[in-house]
Amino acid sequence: MASTSNINPQDAKGIEYTSSDENVLQKHVAFFDRNHDGLIYPWETYEGFRAIGCGVLLSTVASIFINVGLSHKTRPGKFPSPLFPIEVKNIQRGKHGSDSGVYDTEGRFVPLKFEEIFIKHARTHPDALTSDELEQMLKYNREPKDYGGWIGGLTEWKILYFLCKDKKGLLHKDTIRGVYDGSLFQRMEEETKSNKKEN
């Protein structure tokens, strides 16, 4: 079995956070803050999912699931809002258990944990995950009786796999990296717009 000592330093080049207060998790969700006011409402989540090519049903379910689940966690001490906004500045408070650990408790990116995904689970291809390997990773990350975390992790990764696997059924490392820093969403929106123009 590979160990973390086998990580090529070049693999993490450009992905380490540079200051103690940089919150990459905020960048991850900022795409869904469509009007850039620091709040993500369910209709913005819906619009974001539609922008990256998701259908109406998936976008609707995702917007309800995500906003209901995260609103109260990211708005500590505030009276619950019936509009279920998510506060981007506090998004790290919504981090669930049974995850990969790639985001730390402050929402910062942890390169070693990112590389561990592939060291531990990418058996068929070193820089990609198959459906079975993804399933194995989710089971590996499960914490006992953390049912909310299990559901959160399963939902996130299954949607990503559904949307971004290649024709061989592989979810590539650069794609997963793009999810963590939010850059993938922008690329997917541009591709969706381009495809609509072509059709």
Side-chain angles (χ1 to χ4, degrees):
M1 178 174 291
S3 68
T4 54
S5 62
N6 292 332
I7 294 176
N8 182 344
Q10 292 300 314
D11 289 341
K13 185 177 181 181
I15 61 176
E16 295 182 4
Y17 49 83
T18 56
S19 68
S20 61
D21 61 353
E22 183 177 356
N23 188 322
V24 180
L25 185 52
Q26 289 178 3
K27 296 177 182 178
H28 167 77
V29 301
F31 173 81
F32 296 92
D33 181 11
R34 307 299 284 180
N35 62 359
H36 310 293
D37 66 351
L39 297 173
I40 303 173
Y41 288 94
W43 53 89
E44 290 181 287
T45 305
Y46 173 86
E47 184 182 338
F49 271 85
R50 292 290 287 151
I52 62 176
C54 295
V56 172
L57 180 59
L58 176 57
S59 300
T60 300
V61 173
S63 63
I64 294 170
F65 178 80
I66 292 170
N67 282 74
V68 170
L70 294 180
S71 181
H72 71 285
K73 293 179 180 179
T74 61
R75 304 179 73 246
K78 296 182 179 178
F79 192 81
S81 169
L83 299 179
F84 297 106
I86 296 169
E87 291 197 14
V88 175
K89 68 179 181 180
N90 294 324
I91 191 61
Q92 69 276 4
R93 296 175 183 265
K95 198 169 103 66
H96 60 73
S98 300
D99 66 357
S100 62
V102 175
Y103 294 124
D104 70 8
T105 56
E106 299 299 317
R108 296 171 300 191
F109 185 87
V110 183
L112 181 61
K113 289 292 185 181
F114 178 73
E115 297 300 330
E116 281 182 356
I117 291 174
F118 303 93
I119 291 171
K120 292 179 178 178
H121 306 291
R123 299 301 180 197
T124 309
H125 301 273
D127 292 331
L129 297 175
T130 65
S131 178
D132 289 342
E133 290 165 350
L134 177 59
E135 195 71 39
Q136 177 194 28
M137 182 193 74
L138 290 170
K139 290 179 180 178
Y140 179 87
N141 289 337
R142 286 179 182 170
E143 298 170 7
K145 298 183 179 180
D146 177 29
Y147 304 115
W150 297 3
I151 294 171
L154 179 67
T155 303
E156 293 164 355
W157 283 98
K158 288 295 186 178
I159 289 175
L160 175 62
Y161 183 81
F162 173 73
L163 292 175
C164 298
K165 68 181 183 297
D166 69 9
K167 293 179 180 178
K168 296 181 179 179
L170 297 174
L171 185 60
H172 290 272
K173 184 176 184 178
D174 60 344
T175 300
I176 297 172
R177 177 65 182 89
V179 173
Y180 280 111
D181 65 18
S183 63
L184 176 67
F185 302 136
Q186 190 63 48
R187 295 201 303 269
M188 291 176 72
E189 180 176 26
E190 291 169 0
E191 288 174 7
T192 300
K193 287 179 179 177
S194 177
N195 290 337
K196 286 181 178 179
K197 288 180 180 178
E198 291 176 3
N199 295 330

